[in-house]
Amino acid sequence: MTARKAASTLFMGALWVAGLVAVIPLVLIVYYVLLKGLPAVHVGFFTQTAPPPGVPGGGMSQAMWGTGLIVGMATLISVPLGVLTAVYLSEFGRGRLAVGVRFVAEILLSTPSIVAGAFIWALVVVAMHSFSALAGAIALTVLMWPIITRATEETLRLVPDELREAALALGVPRWKMVLRIVIPTAGSGILTAVMLAVARGFGETAPILLTSLGNDFLNTNPLQPTDAVPLRIYNYAQSAFPAWQTLAWGGAITLLGAVLVLSIGARLLSDRQQRRLG
Amino acid sequence: MSDTFASDSAESLGILETLVRPAVSRAGEREAESTSAPMVTVNGLGVAYGSKTALEGVSMLIPERRITAFIGPSGCGKSTALRCFNRMNDGISGFRISGGTVLLDGQDVYARGVNVTALRRAVGMVFQQPNPFPMSIYDNIALAVREHERGISRSTLDGIVEQALRQANLWDEVRDCLTQSALSLSGGQQQRLCIARALAVRPTVLMLDEPCASLDPISTGRIEELLLELSADYTIVIVTHNLAQAQRISDKVGFFLMGRLVEFGDALQVFEASARPETAEYVRGAFG
């Protein structure tokens, strides 16, 4: 074997090892969470509320409803905000305002989530004199909006300029062109962006800790403290009761499953969108 | 016919000459008809992008219902001039008119308060790369029509779509698959679809920016035939790198070089008896 071939094989081998090393943590996490959490997962897990300390069984239904409420509201706020901002940045913004908005989105993307939580606590919780699902939703919006904006802007930019020119040359006004041609063509790219943002929203603990507080009982009032799955996991994992610890693992499976489904779905959609445009 | 071939009369020789002379240029064909009024009048037009001059002192009269070709080497301003007629340059950053006017049927295209969407309806454009929308063939044509004709009934729209496709010589090929995606058509068909799409909104002028550049010779031939047919009803302006194409189909030719319109005149004259030496060199193939 010549030296060059040996170097090539060595390098390829190193790449394979690196790839495996990257994949192993995910595999281990999934395996361990399944191992620990499957005993907790049964029908009751999804229908029953928090059990008293020491009592086996019970479920996290109030936490799941709470997560649904909080993340649902956050999605309702951040999707229109994010998509409209992305449309502005991609189609209309040229000056300093656009540069500023993009910069703000980049900064917010890497803001520590507890900072977002503390900020909304100071702004909303103190003003309302109450922890609430709404405050939790607003805190999540701060973290979800930049993801939607940046990812949607990227996907809108991928729509070929020739399509925009074709529509403009036919006498279609610019805003109609964006609405009828650009956004539908970007289509599933925008959905991908939303799914990635929602996946993040599901998993964030710190911001809702400071804004939504948690609740042992089912709450549907957005202005009251509400439970969420990450909060439950946080509390139960630190508790002394094995029953609660098992429930925490069950919660972990639920979260992991939701995030995996969203991420894989987003990836499949994204591939389909690329084939459509390419 | 065979008698004419065989006989030696002066008359038959005349017919023979007509039969054998290669139809290289159609420029002389329509001179017998009355000269048509100018549809687009360009007067001393200057265009700059930031500090870079793209066009300077361009003046020409583009006749209605004729085919006018812009020729010249790459980057000389042909497409820039074309895009001034329907103000498609407006969106480009740094673009400004540095002087002169463009009049469409007597009206200044760059006047204050001009309705640009109405202008772009009247002056249609087809681009070098076919760019159908990622929708069905029907929707490609219907989209702009629906935009301009509010509340149009389905049957009227069907009629407009059919007429546009017939005008573009595409109807027979797609009549049974109008709901299929436009992207499934061949390159030549897509370009004819783009022409149909532009015709559907009833323009007065149709501009084509190197429409056959990415097509095979057979598709090119079909589009050239189509343009010859359309020139009976529409004013056609075509930018082309293909000198033979310009000779085949155009009535008037404008030769651009480095941002200036060097010569503009009847195609026959520009190609065979150019007034300027640069034109003669270019059509000879000395550069470009």
Side-chain angles (χ1 to χ4, degrees), chain A residues 207-238:
Chain A
I208 42 180
L209 189 64
L210 296 179
T211 48
S212 185
L213 193 65
N215 196 328
D216 282 333
F217 306 102
L218 179 66
N219 170 48
T220 50
N221 184 349
L223 300 176
Q224 295 293 319
T226 311
D227 207 10
V229 177
L231 290 181
R232 277 292 129 173
I233 297 176
Y234 175 64
N235 285 323
Y236 284 179
Q238 293 172 48

Side-chain angles (χ1 to χ4, degrees), chain B residues 135-141 154 158 161-162 165 170-171 173-182 193:
Chain B
M135 304 170 178
S136 69
I137 296 169
Y138 186 96
D139 283 334
N140 258 272
I141 301 185
R154 179 68 190 220
D158 285 351
V161 169
E162 181 179 334
L165 287 169
L170 191 58
W171 175 250
E173 289 165 62
V174 301
R175 62 192 304 167
D176 296 322
C177 53
L178 289 178
T179 51
Q180 234 176 62
S181 166
L193 176 63

Side-chain angles (χ1 to χ4, degrees), chain B residues 99-112:
Chain B
T101 53
V102 177
L103 302 178
L104 176 71
D105 209 9
Q107 298 172 49
D108 185 358
V109 158
Y110 282 95
R112 200 177 277 272

Side-chain angles (χ1 to χ4, degrees), chain B residues 103-135:
Chain B
L103 302 178
L104 176 71
D105 209 9
Q107 298 172 49
D108 185 358
V109 158
Y110 282 95
R112 200 177 277 272
V114 160
N115 183 343
V116 178
T117 52
L119 169 68
R120 289 178 181 157
R121 183 186 177 177
V123 182
M125 187 156 179
V126 173
F127 300 83
Q128 179 172 333
Q129 290 281 4
N131 50 12
F133 304 128
M135 304 170 178

Side-chain angles (χ1 to χ4, degrees), chain A:
Chain A
M1 210 197 272
T2 63
R4 265 169 62 184
K5 211 157 176 227
S8 174
T9 315
L10 194 69
F11 193 63
M12 286 299 285
L15 289 178
W16 272 101
V17 168
L20 279 172
V21 167
V23 168
I24 282 174
L26 178 65
V27 172
L28 281 180
I29 291 175
V30 172
Y31 169 70
Y32 202 67
V33 167
L34 280 176
L35 187 71
K36 287 286 198 172
L38 271 177
V41 177
H42 53 94
V43 176
F45 182 74
F46 298 99
T47 55
Q48 295 169 17
T49 55
V55 175
M60 275 203 188
S61 73
Q62 89 280 6
M64 291 184 198
W65 280 107
T67 291
L69 182 65
I70 297 173
V71 175
M73 286 197 295
T75 308
L76 276 176
I77 304 173
S78 53
V79 168
L81 206 63
V83 172
L84 286 176
T85 308
V87 168
Y88 166 71
L89 288 176
S90 159
E91 306 295 319
F92 298 97
R94 295 279 172 265
R96 283 207 294 266
L97 178 62
V99 173
V101 170
R102 207 175 278 124
F103 183 64
V104 166
E106 290 279 358
I107 300 283
L108 280 179
L109 259 180
S110 33
T111 299
S113 54
I114 192 148
V115 169
F119 168 64
I120 297 300
W121 175 85
L123 209 64
V124 179
V125 176
V126 169
M128 282 173 59
H129 298 295
S130 161
F131 293 91
S132 61
L134 182 63
I138 297 176
L140 284 186
T141 301
V142 171
L143 298 165
M144 285 166 67
W145 165 79
I147 299 178
I148 296 179
T149 298
R150 292 298 281 131
T152 305
E153 188 193 345
E154 292 302 313
T155 204
L156 287 173
R157 280 185 189 283
L158 282 176
V159 174
D161 260 342
E162 294 93 67
L163 292 182
R164 293 183 179 83
E165 287 215 313
L168 289 175
L170 286 166
V172 178
R174 194 177 196 95
W175 68 272
K176 272 259 173 82
M177 176 266 289
V178 172
L179 202 63
R180 291 274 164 78
I181 309 274
V182 179
I183 292 182
T185 306
S188 44
I190 300 179
L191 190 58
T192 304
V194 171
M195 285 167 82
L196 289 175
V198 170
R200 175 143 190 215
F202 271 134
E204 286 292 343
T205 315
I208 42 180
L209 189 64
L210 296 179
T211 48
S212 185
L213 193 65
N215 196 328
D216 282 333
F217 306 102
L218 179 66
N219 170 48
T220 50
N221 184 349
L223 300 176
Q224 295 293 319
T226 311
D227 207 10
V229 177
L231 290 181
R232 277 292 129 173
I233 297 176
Y234 175 64
N235 285 323
Y236 284 179
Q238 293 172 48
S239 76
F241 307 104
W244 277 3
Q245 287 163 15
T246 312
L247 280 180
W249 283 112
I253 289 188
T254 314
L255 272 188
L256 197 63
V259 170
L260 273 179
V261 163
L262 280 173
S263 302
I264 294 175
R267 183 54 197 263
L268 289 175
L269 263 186
S270 161
D271 284 350
R272 203 189 75 168
Q273 173 74 351
Q274 283 218 353
R275 277 199 301 273
R276 195 166 157 229
L277 279 182

